[in-house]
């Protein structure tokens, strides 16, 4: 038994030593001496023996437990490789919740890993488990197995001592996942994040939203609409073969906007809630600390002053529109906690509203138009779109779209980009419809539009070049008396995501004299 456990431990140690956590697969240098440092060895020993002990106690099979832990380590390495390739970020502790999310929303995750690969791995895993359970005699049926229980107990004790020792000598984190994983290695980074979560469990946040501008009492309130457009960015500067007409309405809106520019967002390709939380709360990544990776886990339990609660206190009815299940990212709990009076999710849309894989921007624009038309009081509508969300490679764009989207289609992998441009044009139409709807109201109002992150188009980026990580934003308003002065003050890109709401409210206050 001791020999078998030692071999399993050695296999995982070698994987850690050869593993390149920043996008590579394996290398003779790999993790190198970093993976063999005392902290990495202790944290690796703690997680390996803990998982082995649990698997052995539950399955009652020694070799199955050893094999399971080694295989899980390999799966973690494969998932890290997939995530880093798509999102430029290693696998971190909070990503474990995405395994359950993948079961609830498989279309958002599994296609990036590979549907066929996932099915083959699940089939092979099920077959291997069945084979082990059939061939290996459980411990409770072995006459001479009594001595193995002290060994399992010893493994638990060693795991505990190793975990505590690693806790004592853990390094200080920068909370930049790329830098931290390069310094610690993958398994040790998970241990470090767990320690940081424990130390930060009672931490409170400063609330910059409390310092946002107040509107003068007694003045009419304009309607306010903020649109977080999924994966919205302007690809034309990076890919000049795209026709300018793709974002015709955006260009026209920018020429009359009160302010516009580029937004510095804390996400690449995914992790929408990082940008979303920054916009709604004014909290930067540094303020959030370890909770920056999924702020809603914390905000669901300990809400803070937000854009919604700030506007509700000034007489606004606050509405969130998101054409996806409300439970995703805990929005069904977070949005009311942040001050939203109403949450409109996918249950308020029909199957015919889809454009591609998700509810389309046209249907969302119609919903916002209806809310503005029916409003008898000033409303703040926060919109989280879904149409542009990938995986784009699942779509088969109409060949005619290339004629509409490109000056002259270049040679190379264009499928993802063509599919994206179709959705981008729909977002552009949504922009025009909402500005018209706001302008048609008696109150007038303001629209703030921004992208949460750039889309995932790995093949396009490899072949044609990678865009900047920033996304565009604009503030359009029906009140234009002081527009020129506002442009001079606020059009300074890139703007940190946590500062956009404050800029918007300042612009609204000046444009509408409230």
């Amino acid at each position: 038994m001791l020999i078998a456990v030692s071999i399993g431990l050695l296999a995982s140690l070698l994987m850690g030593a050869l593993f390149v956590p920043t996008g590579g697969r394996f290398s003779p240098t790999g993790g190198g001496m970093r993976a063999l440092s005392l902290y990495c060895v202790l944290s690796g020993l703690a997680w390996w023996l803990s998982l082995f002990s649990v698997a052995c106690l539950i399955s009652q099979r020694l070799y199955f437990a050893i094999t399971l832990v080694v295989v899980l380590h390999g799966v973690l390495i494969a998932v890290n490789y997939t995530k880093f390739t798509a999102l430029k970020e290693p696998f971190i502790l909070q990503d474990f919740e995405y395994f359950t999310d993948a079961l609830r929303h498989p279309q958002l995750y599994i296609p990036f890993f590979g549907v066929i690969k996932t099915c083959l791995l699940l089939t092979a895993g099920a077959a291997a488990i069945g084979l082990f359970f059939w061939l290996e005699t459980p411990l409770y049926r072995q006459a001479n197995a009594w001595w193995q229980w002290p060994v399992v107990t010893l493994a638990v004790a060693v795991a505990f001592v190793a975990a505590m020792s690693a806790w004592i000598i853990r390094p200080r984190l920068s909370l930049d996942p790329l830098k931290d994983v390069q310094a610690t290695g993958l398994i040790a980074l998970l241990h470090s994040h767990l320690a940081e979560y424990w130390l930060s469990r009672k931490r409170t946040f400063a609330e910059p939203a409390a310092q946002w501008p107040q509107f003068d009492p007694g003045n009419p309130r304009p309607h306010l609409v903020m649109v977080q457009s999924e994966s919205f960015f302007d690809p034309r500067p990076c890919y000049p073969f795209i026709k300018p007409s793709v974002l015709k309405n955006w260009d026209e809106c920018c020429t009359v906007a009160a302010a516009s520019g580029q937004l510095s967002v804390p996400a690449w390709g995914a992790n929408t809630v990082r940008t979303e939380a920054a916009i709604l709360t004014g909290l930067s990544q540094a303020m959030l600390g370890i909770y920056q990776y999924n702020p809603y886990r914390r905000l669901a339990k300990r809400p803070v002053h937000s854009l919604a609660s700030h506007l509700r206190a000034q007489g606004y009815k606050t509405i969130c529109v998101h054409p996806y299940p409300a439970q995703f990212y805990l929005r069904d709990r977070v949005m009311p906690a942040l001050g939203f009076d109403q949450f409109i999710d996918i249950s308020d849309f029909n199957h015919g509203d889809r454009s591609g894989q998700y509810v389309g921007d046209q249907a969302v624009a119609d919903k916002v138009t209806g809310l503005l038309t029916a409003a008898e009081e000033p409303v703040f509508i926060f919109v989280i779109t879904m149409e542009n969300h990938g995986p784009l490679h699942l779509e088969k764009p109409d060949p005619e779209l290339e004629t509409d989207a490109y000056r002259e289609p270049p040679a190379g992998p264009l499928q993802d980009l063509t599919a994206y441009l179709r959705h981008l044009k729909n977002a552009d139409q949504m922009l025009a419809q909402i500005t018209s709807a706001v302008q048609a109201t008696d109150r007038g109002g303001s629209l703030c539009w921004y992208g949460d992150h750039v889309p995932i188009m790995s093949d396009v980026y490899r072949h044609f070049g990678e865009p900047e990580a920033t996304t565009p934003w604009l503030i359009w308003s029906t009140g234009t008396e002081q527009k020129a002065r506002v442009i001079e003050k606020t059009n300074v890109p890139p703007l940190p995501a946590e500062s956009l709401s404050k800029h918007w409210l300042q612009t609204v206050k000046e444009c509408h004299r409230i």
Side-chain angles (χ1 to χ4, degrees), residues 47-250:
W47 83 265
W48 199 100
L49 290 176
S50 297
L51 287 180
F52 162 75
S53 301
V54 172
C56 192
L57 289 172
I58 293 176
S59 69
Q60 296 289 296
R61 287 163 174 83
L62 169 67
Y63 298 107
F64 167 77
I66 295 171
T67 305
L68 178 66
V69 178
V70 174
V71 169
L72 287 178
H73 192 181
V75 169
L76 189 62
I77 290 173
V79 171
N80 176 84
Y81 175 77
T82 300
K83 183 189 176 188
F84 195 91
T85 300
L87 305 181
K88 296 184 174 182
E89 183 178 282
F91 189 89
I92 55 180
L93 185 65
Q94 68 95 13
D95 289 336
F96 278 109
E97 69 184 84
Y98 291 142
F99 285 108
T100 56
D101 284 341
L103 298 177
R104 300 189 190 102
H105 311 278
Q107 73 276 20
L108 293 181
Y109 300 97
I110 292 178
F112 292 110
F113 190 74
V115 176
I116 295 177
K117 185 191 298 183
T118 300
C119 293
L120 289 175
L121 286 174
L122 290 176
T123 302
I129 291 172
L131 189 63
F132 267 107
F133 271 67
W134 179 44
L135 294 177
E136 187 175 357
T137 303
L139 295 178
Y140 64 83
R141 290 184 180 176
Q142 296 180 21
N144 61 343
W146 64 267
W147 59 272
Q148 299 185 40
W149 297 112
V151 176
V152 174
T153 303
L154 178 62
V156 173
V158 173
F160 178 79
V161 172
M164 292 299 101
S165 301
W167 173 286
I168 294 171
I169 65 171
R170 68 188 184 281
R172 183 177 179 84
L173 294 177
S174 68
L175 294 182
D176 179 330
L178 180 57
K179 292 180 180 178
D180 288 337
V181 80
Q182 289 173 328
T184 66
L186 185 60
I187 299 301
L189 178 62
L190 302 180
H191 183 277
S192 298
H193 279 182
L194 183 62
E196 192 69 26
Y197 274 114
W198 175 258
L199 293 172
S200 303
R201 66 193 185 282
K202 295 183 180 180
R203 179 185 172 190
T204 58
F205 300 127
E207 299 194 8
Q211 307 301 318
W212 288 344
Q214 299 282 338
F215 296 157
D216 295 333
N219 291 336
R221 301 286 191 261
H223 293 309
L224 301 178
V225 180
M226 174 175 271
V227 176
Q228 178 175 277
S229 185
E230 172 63 39
S231 301
F232 182 88
F233 86 117
D234 186 353
R236 296 171 300 178
C238 193
Y239 311 123
F241 52 83
I242 297 175
K243 288 184 177 180
S245 59
V246 167
L247 286 174
K248 175 184 176 182
N249 296 315
W250 173 266

Side-chain angles (χ1 to χ4, degrees), residues 3 30 64 71 113 146 159 163 182 195 314 335 339 412 414 420 454 458 467:
I3 293 174
F64 167 77
V71 169
F113 190 74
W146 64 267
Q182 289 173 328
Q314 299 183 73
M335 293 306 173
L414 286 175
Y420 174 74
V454 300
S458 302

Side-chain angles (χ1 to χ4, degrees), residues 130-405:
L131 189 63
F132 267 107
F133 271 67
W134 179 44
L135 294 177
E136 187 175 357
T137 303
L139 295 178
Y140 64 83
R141 290 184 180 176
Q142 296 180 21
N144 61 343
W146 64 267
W147 59 272
Q148 299 185 40
W149 297 112
V151 176
V152 174
T153 303
L154 178 62
V156 173
V158 173
F160 178 79
V161 172
M164 292 299 101
S165 301
W167 173 286
I168 294 171
I169 65 171
R170 68 188 184 281
R172 183 177 179 84
L173 294 177
S174 68
L175 294 182
D176 179 330
L178 180 57
K179 292 180 180 178
D180 288 337
V181 80
Q182 289 173 328
T184 66
L186 185 60
I187 299 301
L189 178 62
L190 302 180
H191 183 277
S192 298
H193 279 182
L194 183 62
E196 192 69 26
Y197 274 114
W198 175 258
L199 293 172
S200 303
R201 66 193 185 282
K202 295 183 180 180
R203 179 185 172 190
T204 58
F205 300 127
E207 299 194 8
Q211 307 301 318
W212 288 344
Q214 299 282 338
F215 296 157
D216 295 333
N219 291 336
R221 301 286 191 261
H223 293 309
L224 301 178
V225 180
M226 174 175 271
V227 176
Q228 178 175 277
S229 185
E230 172 63 39
S231 301
F232 182 88
F233 86 117
D234 186 353
R236 296 171 300 178
C238 193
Y239 311 123
F241 52 83
I242 297 175
K243 288 184 177 180
S245 59
V246 167
L247 286 174
K248 175 184 176 182
N249 296 315
W250 173 266
D251 291 338
E252 292 177 356
C253 200
C254 282
T255 61
V256 296
S260 62
Q262 289 294 306
L263 195 67
S264 177
V265 293
W268 170 276
N271 292 304
T272 295
V273 291
R274 298 182 188 177
T275 304
E276 190 176 312
I279 295 291
L280 287 176
T281 67
L283 292 170
S284 67
Q285 300 299 283
M287 292 176 181
L288 288 165
I290 192 65
Y291 296 102
Q292 65 183 270
Y293 304 122
N294 186 350
Y296 282 180
R297 280 286 172 192
R298 176 73 169 202
L299 296 178
K301 298 177 181 178
R302 296 188 180 184
V304 297
H305 190 64
S306 75
L307 179 61
S309 60
H310 181 77
L311 291 173
R312 186 167 67 178
Q314 299 183 73
Y316 279 85
K317 180 180 180 180
T318 54
I319 305 171
C320 180
V321 180
H322 180 45
Y324 204 66
Q327 297 80 9
F328 190 56
Y329 275 132
L330 301 178
R331 287 190 178 101
D332 59 328
R333 294 166 51 190
V334 173
M335 293 306 173
L338 291 181
F340 283 96
D341 298 312
Q342 184 180 0
F343 188 6
I344 297 174
D345 75 340
I346 196 170
S347 62
D348 287 86
F349 295 87
N350 302 315
H351 184 76
D353 293 331
R354 295 168 72 92
S355 177
Q357 303 173 74
Y358 309 99
V359 172
D361 287 351
Q362 176 65 60
V364 178
D366 291 342
K367 183 70 67 176
V368 174
T369 301
L371 291 170
L372 289 170
T373 302
E376 298 179 355
E377 57 188 318
V379 293
F380 164 54
I381 305 173
F382 181 63
V383 183
I384 309 164
T385 71
M386 277 298 293
E387 181 180 337
N388 294 354
H389 201 294
L392 295 167
H393 66 269
L394 296 184
E395 301 185 34
K396 301 296 182 183
D398 190 328
E400 294 182 2
L401 288 174
E402 293 190 359
T403 304
D404 295 336

Side-chain angles (χ1 to χ4, degrees), residues 421-441:
L421 292 177
R422 177 173 80 89
H423 299 310
L424 193 63
K425 292 182 72 173
N426 291 341
D428 191 57
Q429 288 297 117
M430 177 183 177
L431 173 67
Q433 182 174 339
I434 291 181
T435 52
S436 296
V438 171
Q439 204 156 24
T441 63

